[in-house]
Amino acid sequence: MLVLAGHDPSGGAGLDADREACDAAGGGAVLVATAWTEQDGVRVHAVRERDPALVLADALAAAATGVDALKTGLLPSARAIDAVARIAAVARRHARGELRVVVDPVLAASGGEPFLDAAGIRALLEQLVPLGVVLTPNLDELARLADVPRRELDAGIAARAAAAQSLLARGARAVVVKGGHGAESPIVDLLVEPAGVRTFSGPAREPGRRMHGSG
């Protein structure tokens, strides 16, 4: 899997977390940094975008050998998203079969610090979603991408599914709605596809502090 994401020095999210997830699933990851962040596990102090031309060069070199999947995390600008769209096109040509593309729309840090501005969100919707990607938004991200009031998503599963279906209409292959920011217990995640909606219930919530990288 080719992973394009930010570097988190705490290891709680970003490239290190993606690599651990790939290892746990029995796969391997080729990592390309899109940004360098300064954070302490509580809040993000700075984000330094990596030159999209360098991201493009690194990723194209990796994709030329053939990859099975492409996964994105923090994409800090519309320029970075344009580079990812170009990378996906090349990766598809060299893929060993159908290329799966997963886009985690990292719009803000767990502490609320924004990562992607309005122009970047528009680029994500116009350049990446139509590629038939699997989107994995949390509820805050789903509200922004679907342009619905955040409070509407607290109304229940039907409202979240409707918002996700609007992203299918834009070209997404599937939308995995993460329910951790909802109020219900146990947590309910959704898999929304053209064929229908599936729900997955997690464990009951446990009291504790807000977890870094929990989006």
Side-chain angles (χ1 to χ4, degrees), residues 43-69:
R43 62 181 297 264
V44 176
H45 301 278
V47 177
R48 294 184 175 85
E49 179 178 5
R50 190 170 177 231
D51 184 346
L54 296 179
V55 174
L56 182 64
D58 285 354
L60 291 183
T65 63
V67 294
D68 302 301

Side-chain angles (χ1 to χ4, degrees), residues 92 101-103 128-135 168 171-175:
R92 279 206 162 103
V101 182
V102 177
V103 174
L128 294 188
V129 173
L131 298 179
V133 303
V134 176
L135 283 171
L168 296 183
R173 179 181 188 136
V175 181

Side-chain angles (χ1 to χ4, degrees), residues 38-146:
E38 293 178 10
Q39 52 185 301
D40 54 18
V42 176
R43 62 181 297 264
V44 176
H45 301 278
V47 177
R48 294 184 175 85
E49 179 178 5
R50 190 170 177 231
D51 184 346
L54 296 179
V55 174
L56 182 64
D58 285 354
L60 291 183
T65 63
V67 294
D68 302 301
L70 170 64
K71 192 266 182 185
T72 71
L74 171 59
L75 302 175
S77 70
R79 292 171 60 227
I81 289 168
D82 179 70
V84 170
R86 295 168 65 186
I87 292 162
V90 173
R92 279 206 162 103
R93 292 200 297 269
H94 294 279
R96 299 183 290 264
E98 182 183 6
L99 180 75
R100 305 287 181 158
V101 182
V102 177
V103 174
D104 184 3
V106 182
L107 305 185
S110 296
E113 298 84 7
F115 285 142
L116 193 61
D117 61 14
I121 293 173
R122 185 167 57 252
L124 190 152
L125 289 169
E126 294 177 355
Q127 294 184 254
L128 294 188
V129 173
L131 298 179
V133 303
V134 176
L135 283 171
T136 64
N138 60 37
L139 296 182
D140 295 342
E141 293 160 348
L142 178 62
R144 290 290 305 278
L145 295 176

Side-chain angles (χ1 to χ4, degrees), residues 149-160:
R150 173 63 179 83
R151 63 181 180 278
E152 286 189 9
L153 302 183
D154 289 326
I157 301 306
R160 298 173 193 179

Side-chain angles (χ1 to χ4, degrees), residues 170-193:
R170 283 181 169 270
R173 179 181 188 136
V175 181
V176 178
V177 180
K178 296 175 285 190
H181 287 86
E184 66 276 352
S185 183
I187 293 168
V188 178
D189 299 325
L190 303 181
L191 171 60
V192 182
E193 300 175 288

Side-chain angles (χ1 to χ4, degrees), residues 32 57 61 185 195 197:
V32 176
S185 183
V197 179

